[in-house]
Amino acid sequence: MWAFIHKFGSPKWFYGISARLLPWCWFLAVALILVGSIWGLAFAPADYQQGDSFRIIYVHVPAAFLAQSIFVSMAVAALVFMVWKIKVADMAAAVMAPLGAAMTFVALFTGSVWGMPTWGTWWIWDARLTSMLILLFLYVGVIALRGAFTSRDSGARAASVLSMVGVINIPVIKYSVDWWYTLHQPATFSIASRPSMPVEMWWPLLLMVLGFYAFFIAITLMRTRNEILRREAGKHWVRELAAGDA
Amino acid sequence: MAFDSLDAFFAMGGHGAYVWSAWAVAALAMVGSVVHARAEHHRLLRDIQRRVRRDTTTPRADHNAS
Amino acid sequence: MPSSDTESLRGVEPVEPSGGLGVAMAATLKRDLTLAARRRSDIMNPLAFFALVITLFPLGISPQPALLATIAPGLLWVAALLATLLSLEALFRADYEDGCLEQLLLAPQPLPALVLGKVCVHWLMTGLPLALMAPLLGLLLALPAESYLVLSLSLALGSVSLSLIGAIGAALTVGLSRGGVLLSLLVLPLNIPVLIFGTGAVQAAIIGDPVGPHLAILGALCCAALMMAPFAIAASLRISING
């Protein structure tokens, strides 16, 4: 176990193993998203209430899932970095933050665009959208805090503490916003939460969610490799690798 | 197939603008992050190669000069 | 300022190995209270800010009592939250600049307990006065009279969480030259649950609903913050000082 952790902590080992994993992740991501998109856009039946506008669900829900999962992954990476001082974990956390913010933005944008045909307005203080907006602020805070430190190590540790504090707060924020929403708008129609969804609609959604997760893993591996190159640029193995690549 | 024709597919039952703009933004974000990551990779490798070249050529040149 | 330096030395001295945790916490409390008593403007400024912001709303929206009364709980809570935020930047700033913070880090007692003392003083100097002052401003906003007690209670209880969570942000940004805006960016999203249940309590009191559940949740948030925040504050301070 310890040997594994330390091996995993070595940027060189990670760089090698991720190169072998990446093609599989990309294959999975592209295949799942492609099949899910075609299925969801062209073959899934239209919703009996919302018509074809419900097809936004196939990007909105995976993006929203990813937005929350990336924050949790980032906090886990931060914990690993703080406890075992594994640098690769911090590199992963550093590249996850912008991706998570982008996914949160996508979830907000698609939710807002979905709101127009559904509610007749671009923005409603819907519980889900409001939590997403708060999540976006949390991401912005983590990114800004990391950038504010001149020393990379201090920035990394400060961002780690903040992501762990944030991840403890996310459920609290989510439940309090849900509670607040039911208090002010009892029993309104909420997008993406329905009692029962036909199987033909559900399958493409599952494919898209899995595809988005594969995409997240692939992009994180890719950008963590970049981060390794950036931070270890002076190391011997990196220079040899770059020279061999030329 | 949920649509009769290609036109109907693009119209999305009158909600075309909403559906396609949402999908476009999602696709843009994902493709954009891939393009960015690839460009970043090549740029970093090129920088390291340039540094390696500089470090291996300049000392020798200095040595010859002296 | 030589006076505060000698004061801080006198406060820290009993912390040396002979004293236990209780002595150290009492010393931290006493020192911070003395310092706060000497800088009265630091206590007055958040209160003045609170009053000023509340004055702006009738001018910006409308002086009609009926309208003001409906938005008063939210306004009072948001203004109090911002006033707390304003005072947070100074929480560790002076100690960071004159080196007292490093002494605190070197003390043999656990740092989370000592920072808890500091946060406690911060609450006594901002949260409690704000809670006591809020009914007065509620009067200006035509807040129904039956909610004054709940307003004060919810603010007093909620501001403990605000101070604790805010102190994490203050500890993270104390080493940065321009940490002010960043501090609010970090702290405000985390304060949202407190705001929701705080205003919820006041609104419940206005319409005659039981306020117990809201106050209980505020108390629960406060307990959770008391349990976890001191460790986060201590870790953040170590990062800011050593980094």
Side-chain angles (χ1 to χ4, degrees):
Chain A
M1 179 67 189
W2 277 104
F4 173 74
I5 285 178
H6 283 284
K7 207 168 152 195
F8 192 76
S10 142
K12 187 181 175 186
W13 182 82
F14 185 87
Y15 196 88
I17 196 80
S18 56
R20 272 186 284 161
L21 280 175
L22 259 177
W24 292 101
C25 292
W26 278 126
F27 171 74
L28 264 180
V30 171
L32 284 168
I33 291 176
L34 213 62
V35 172
S37 300
I38 295 172
W39 194 346
L41 275 176
F43 291 94
D47 186 71
Y48 70 100
Q49 262 182 324
Q50 301 180 42
D52 285 313
S53 74
F54 100 99
R55 290 178 204 281
I56 295 175
I57 199 175
Y58 297 118
V59 285
H60 175 74
V61 167
F65 271 27
L66 217 53
Q68 291 171 342
S69 302
I70 292 177
F71 205 100
V72 176
S73 323
M74 193 169 77
V76 171
L79 185 73
V80 170
F81 169 65
M82 291 300 267
V83 173
W84 288 293
K85 308 282 171 226
I86 293 176
K87 279 188 200 148
V88 174
D90 176 59
M91 297 180 195
V95 301
M96 277 180 207
L99 183 67
M103 279 300 145
T104 315
F105 175 77
V106 169
L108 272 177
F109 182 89
T110 53
S112 167
V113 166
W114 196 357
M116 194 58 196
T118 312
W119 299 312
T121 164
W122 292 108
W123 183 263
I124 271 193
W125 289 93
D126 165 75
R128 280 159 194 277
L129 288 179
T130 310
S131 321
M132 270 297 145
L133 188 64
I134 299 169
L135 187 65
L136 183 64
F137 291 135
L138 286 175
Y139 272 120
V140 172
V142 172
I143 296 171
L145 185 66
R146 184 184 286 274
F149 281 83
T150 41
S151 135
R152 180 182 282 153
D153 190 50
S154 303
R157 287 190 292 153
S160 300
V161 169
L162 187 65
S163 10
M164 285 189 273
V165 171
V167 88
I168 294 172
N169 261 275
I170 283 179
V172 181
I173 291 173
K174 202 164 164 46
Y175 283 112
S176 55
V177 168
D178 279 353
W179 180 84
W180 160 83
Y181 184 69
T182 49
L183 184 78
H184 288 278
Q185 262 142 340
T188 1
F189 177 68
S190 178
I191 53 173
S193 72
R194 48 192 57 249
S196 68
M197 200 164 153
V199 188
E200 312 87 82
M201 289 183 182
W202 197 81
W203 271 109
L205 185 60
L206 183 70
L207 290 187
M208 286 300 271
V209 169
L210 292 176
F212 269 57
Y213 274 101
F215 168 82
F216 158 54
I217 296 171
I219 273 282
T220 307
L221 285 180
M222 212 167 153
R223 292 212 59 214
T224 306
R225 284 160 61 83
N226 292 349
E227 201 65 21
I228 290 175
L229 287 183
R230 183 176 295 134
R231 296 196 196 177
E232 311 263 296
K235 295 274 168 66
H236 190 64
W237 71 270
V238 174
R239 297 169 67 106
E240 271 187 345
L241 181 130
D245 213 51
Chain B
M1 198 74 182
F3 299 97
D4 303 330
S5 66
L6 205 62
D7 278 348
F9 177 63
F10 285 118
M12 280 285 159
H15 297 305
Y18 304 119
V19 174
W20 293 117
S21 65
W23 277 74
V25 165
L28 203 70
M30 296 175 89
V31 173
S33 42
V34 177
V35 169
H36 170 242
R38 284 190 68 88
E40 191 184 33
H41 189 75
H42 291 304
R43 185 164 45 81
L44 285 164
L45 274 182
R46 210 179 46 236
D47 283 357
I48 295 170
Q49 281 160 10
R50 194 180 295 150
R51 209 186 308 180
V52 169
R53 259 203 310 281
R54 195 184 57 207
D55 288 357
T56 48
T57 52
T58 43
R60 203 179 300 145
D62 285 349
H63 188 72
N64 290 346
S66 64
Chain C
M1 3 171 214
S3 65
S4 83
D5 276 346
T6 52
E7 182 56 42
S8 64
L9 281 178
R10 204 184 307 147
V12 171
E13 229 158 13
V15 172
E16 290 305 306
S18 61
L21 184 57
V23 178
M25 280 186 78
T28 316
L29 275 174
K30 184 167 156 266
R31 167 180 176 267
D32 276 26
L33 279 172
T34 316
L35 283 178
R38 290 197 183 151
R39 280 194 307 249
R40 288 198 195 87
S41 68
D42 279 8
I43 308 173
M44 293 310 295
N45 285 350
L47 291 176
F49 175 83
F50 187 32
L52 198 60
V53 169
I54 290 300
T55 315
L56 292 181
F57 280 102
L59 295 173
I61 299 171
S62 146
Q64 286 171 352
L67 179 64
L68 285 176
T70 55
I71 53 171
L75 286 188
L76 287 162
W77 251 95
V78 170
L81 200 152
L82 293 177
T84 320
L85 195 69
L86 199 69
S87 65
L88 276 171
E89 217 196 328
L91 179 55
F92 297 116
R93 177 71 65 195
D95 283 353
Y96 176 78
E97 278 164 2
D98 65 13
C100 288
L101 215 49
E102 287 173 37
Q103 298 301 315
L104 207 66
L105 257 65
L106 291 173
Q109 282 79 17
L111 185 58
L114 299 181
V115 294
L116 192 60
K118 289 188 82 67
V119 175
C120 184
V121 172
H122 177 259
W123 176 75
L124 280 175
M125 292 300 145
T126 53
L128 198 59
L130 285 175
L132 293 176
M133 189 182 172
L136 198 65
L137 298 174
L139 198 74
L140 295 183
L141 292 180
L143 191 73
E146 61 269 24
S147 62
Y148 285 176
L149 183 66
V150 178
L151 176 67
S152 278
L153 263 177
S154 69
L155 268 174
L157 203 56
S159 58
V160 179
S161 315
L162 297 186
S163 288
L164 281 163
I165 297 171
I168 303 175
L172 282 171
T173 53
V174 70
L176 304 171
S177 50
R178 283 191 302 275
V181 183
L182 187 59
L183 173 65
S184 32
L185 185 62
L186 304 186
V187 169
L188 281 178
L190 301 176
N191 279 343
I192 286 170
V194 181
L195 173 72
I196 288 177
F197 289 106
T199 29
V202 183
Q203 280 163 347
I206 292 175
I207 57 174
D209 276 359
V211 294
H214 301 86
L215 292 180
I217 293 177
L218 276 181
L221 289 175
C222 172
C223 288
L226 269 173
M227 234 165 51
M228 291 185 265
F231 298 97
I233 299 168
S236 311
L237 280 179
R238 289 196 194 281
I239 293 166
S240 288
I241 297 289
N242 300 331

